[in-house]
Amino acid sequence: MKLNTDFVAWFRSVAPYVNAFRGKTFVVAFGGEVVADGKFVELVHDLNLLASLGVRLVLVHGARPQIEVRLQEHKLQTAYVKGMRVTDAATLQCVKESVGRVRVEIEALLSMGLPNSPMANAAIRVASGNFVTARPVGVVEGVDLMHTGEVRKVDAAAIRSRLEQGEVALLSPLGYSPTGEIFNLTLENVAAAAAIALNAEKLIFLMDTAGIEEKSPGKPGKFPRELTVAESKALLARLTDRPAKLFDDVRLYLPCALQACEGGVARVHLISRHVDGAVLQELFTHDGIGSMISQGPLQALRNAGVEDVGGILQLIEPLEAKGVLVRRNRELLEMEISRFVVLEHDRMIVACAALYPFPDEKASELACLAVHPDYRNAGYGDTLLKHIEAKAKTQGSKKLFVLTTGAAHWFVERGFEETGVEKLPKAKQGLYNYRRRSKVFVKKL
Ligand SMILES: CC(C)(COP(=O)(O)OP(=O)(O)OC[C@H]1O[C@@H](n2cnc3c(N)ncnc32)[C@H](O)[C@@H]1OP(=O)(O)O)[C@@H](O)C(=O)NCCC(=O)NCCS
């Protein structure tokens, strides 16, 4: 029974994400290591699930370890300039062979459809092609990088038309020039350029570390969970000054993650490739699992609109069921939505409150103050209360009432005093529910 209740609660908690993600474009970037160490099957199952929820997927793969193996087999050594490989003709041959192999392996795994597996009936169609135009990096510090290139253009229209057909787009770290040449690109460059060109909702990097970690022996696994672009830039500058603290993946991916965010991608996630289900955990849970970069702060306080009714209901229904809040059905909420303010975290409604003015008595009522259990004790309740108090004051109210059954002390600690039902505005007294026996509190504004 407990299992069933937990399952239902869990399934419902995922619903807002499913609705928010449907029809959105996610770019998922991963190195050749993911394919080389056999973890790709699990990732494919999760990608398949995302695709079946209506997410438009663009996959960008790398092939660094496979290229290294190929070069060793041919006893070729390549030089690096400023961290970039010099790709001569012999190296390019190894790059083409390795990238081709990895791509074919990925396409094969995406084609799985075994019954009794998460891929049953999946029938994912993969679109790969000449979507990326490249140009040579040219001469750096006096060295010609030859076939090492950078993205010049991503054919967003062509990719979009494939996504609209329900296909998954697969991009490789190779680009072609209008002169017919082939260039060796980095996966992070392709991923960021594709995410920007497609105006993707999310860009997800799978990496060796759990997030934007730094090498500090005393604190393994500690890393920032949510950062703005400005915070990420400061962190990158600090780490670049102390290269000994930089993990390779962070060094490679973080600058491109920032570039994508500045180019209009709403969220960039940097998560571990070693955790089974990491993509799902990052996308469908409140806390996520890795680091997330956004253009601006994730919190926003704003007036509610009718499109928020669903989100508010999801927040207050469990509290209504417990008798903590008075029941409001959807119709009533729709009618009274202009009274509500909501606090968003990463575009999910995590707290709400309503203000009902009684202008004749220069009083207002604060109602339906609720903070999602995962976000409590973080000051959200306080923020909403202050906002409501300021709003009531500008509307001419001299006092603010609140009726509560379980949060009496919370209000007392914020300057409210207990009072009687007879002190409520007249219209409210008539609505007082004597069976609920809520306590009445008032605060002078
Ligand atoms: C009451 C509520 C809005 C507080 O929201 P919040 O964002 O967690 O509050 P804040 O972070 O601003 O404040 C947290 C502090 O209040 C305390 N607190 C939280 N709920 C409390 C309660 N019911 N009674 C007394 N104190 C409470 C916490 O222990 C914490 O105190 P601390 O900082 O000393 O540890 C939230 O618990 C909630 O949604 N409750 C259910 C709905 C409800 O009762 N609404 C009020 C009736 S309209």
Side-chain angles (χ1 to χ4, degrees), residues 241-264:
D241 285 345
R242 298 153 82 190
K245 298 204 108 198
L246 259 176
F247 282 108
D248 274 351
D249 278 2
V250 177
R251 175 176 58 79
L252 295 171
Y253 298 159
L254 185 53
C256 290
L258 279 168
Q259 196 191 343
C261 246
E262 289 189 304

Side-chain angles (χ1 to χ4, degrees), residues 319 324-325 366-372 375-383 402-404 406-411 413-414:
L319 294 165
V324 177
L325 294 179
L366 158 66
C368 208
L369 172 66
V371 177
H372 188 286
Y375 290 86
R376 290 200 184 148
N377 300 326
Y380 285 11
D382 243 351
T383 305
V402 66
L403 274 66
T404 179
H409 283 209
W410 192 84
F411 288 106
E413 285 168 25
R414 281 152 188 84

Side-chain angles (χ1 to χ4, degrees), residues 160-397:
R160 258 192 217 112
S161 79
R162 310 305 289 267
L163 296 176
E164 273 157 23
Q165 301 295 317
E167 297 177 16
V168 168
L170 176 63
L171 306 183
S172 298
L174 283 181
Y176 312 109
S177 74
T179 55
E181 280 175 87
I182 301 169
F183 287 97
N184 176 20
L185 307 175
T186 65
L187 85 99
E188 53 275 14
N189 180 206
V190 175
I196 294 169
L198 292 162
N199 199 13
E201 180 75 9
K202 289 181 185 294
L203 166 60
I204 302 161
F205 282 108
L206 290 169
M207 42 191 228
D208 263 329
T209 50
I212 308 176
E213 263 186 81
E214 43 190 289
K215 287 184 192 166
S216 36
K219 303 185 225 157
K222 280 203 100 185
F223 56 90
R225 309 302 297 263
E226 290 170 358
L227 299 105
T228 59
V229 167
E231 288 163 346
S232 313
K233 273 187 179 165
L235 178 70
L236 184 62
R238 187 166 61 73
L239 289 176
T240 314
D241 285 345
R242 298 153 82 190
K245 298 204 108 198
L246 259 176
F247 282 108
D248 274 351
D249 278 2
V250 177
R251 175 176 58 79
L252 295 171
Y253 298 159
L254 185 53
C256 290
L258 279 168
Q259 196 191 343
C261 246
E262 289 189 304
V265 178
R267 305 275 182 269
V268 182
H269 303 257
L270 297 113
I271 63 175
S272 168
R273 70 179 181 87
H274 299 290
V275 178
D276 184 19
V279 173
L280 301 183
Q281 285 192 58
E282 176 70 8
L283 297 178
F284 293 96
T285 61
H286 281 297
D287 295 335
I289 187 175
S291 299
M292 179 173 84
I293 306 176
S294 59
Q295 286 152 5
L298 291 169
Q299 276 85 356
L301 178 65
R302 58 172 178 78
N303 292 329
V306 78
E307 67 285 357
D308 298 316
V309 168
I312 296 176
L313 278 174
Q314 232 154 23
L315 177 67
I316 63 177
E317 269 170 358
L319 294 165
E320 292 175 352
K322 283 189 199 151
V324 177
L325 294 179
V326 181
R327 274 196 190 279
R328 276 179 178 75
N329 59 26
R330 182 175 277 270
E331 289 71 35
L332 182 64
L333 195 57
E334 274 174 15
M335 268 160 43
E336 298 186 343
I337 195 69
S338 61
R339 310 239 181 259
F340 277 76
V341 287
V342 290
L343 223 161
E344 286 182 325
H345 178 92
D346 196 16
R347 298 188 197 156
M348 295 283 162
I349 293 175
V350 297
C352 69
L355 179 68
Y356 291 83
F358 297 91
D360 293 347
E361 283 137 294
K362 289 197 166 32
S364 292
E365 182 199 354
L366 158 66
C368 208
L369 172 66
V371 177
H372 188 286
D374 289 354
Y375 290 86
R376 290 200 184 148
N377 300 326
Y380 285 11
D382 243 351
T383 305
L384 277 172
L385 175 63
K386 285 195 183 108
H387 180 82
I388 290 282
E389 284 179 6
K391 205 170 170 182
K393 257 198 214 167
T394 53
Q395 290 176 356
S397 286

